[in-house]
Amino acid sequence: MIPEFVVLILVPAVLIAAAGWDLASFTIPNFLQAILLAGFLMFALFTKMPMAVLGWHLSAAAIGLAIGFALFATGLVGGGDAKLFACVALWFGFPDIFEYAVIASLFGGALTILLLAFRWLPLPQFLARQGWLARLHDHRSGVPYGVALATGAFVVMPQTAVFQPYAGLFHASLFV
């Protein structure tokens, strides 16, 4: 029951919250990453994940964190994005981290192009009064990459080893 809840409810909810938070404020609060970490630890404990498998997931997270912070150090992504990438890498492990990185990057590129186009258009006054939308429209603002990271996670998640055992439950719950 706990693994199902964590995989089917908690992880998707945190990813949606991270994307929404990043879109609205260009930040991803640390407590969201902490929830993903705690959720993974609960999942590993309750599924009796073998130590070797756990080690590979931790290795994927370490690589994800190193890549994320290298991108952060160069100013390409924010710190919250770097940590979110590492947390998703923890959940996905190998070899899914590679597919996730490519797909999230593609979504990030598409998001960047859409934002650049959006920022060239004039923002109607009634929309400009929305603080989050005005920040998103500002040419000096960055890209809320958490949106791309969450979207990429949702695309890759159904094929991951962690999600696969619960896929039938997920599809069944859509029709209840």
Side-chain angles (χ1 to χ4, degrees), residues 13-23 27-29 32-33 36 84 146-147 150:
V14 171
L15 290 172
I16 290 168
W21 226 298
D22 204 18
L23 190 62
T27 61
I28 302 172
L32 292 175
Q33 287 96 338
L36 286 175
L84 182 62
V147 174

Side-chain angles (χ1 to χ4, degrees), residues 15-59:
L15 290 172
I16 290 168
W21 226 298
D22 204 18
L23 190 62
S25 68
F26 291 96
T27 61
I28 302 172
N30 287 334
F31 78 87
L32 292 175
Q33 287 96 338
I35 292 170
L36 286 175
L37 292 172
F40 182 80
L41 294 176
M42 286 180 14
F43 177 82
L45 181 68
F46 280 93
T47 60
K48 297 177 176 57
M49 183 179 283
M51 290 303 283
V53 173
L54 179 61
W56 283 113
H57 280 268
L58 292 171
S59 297

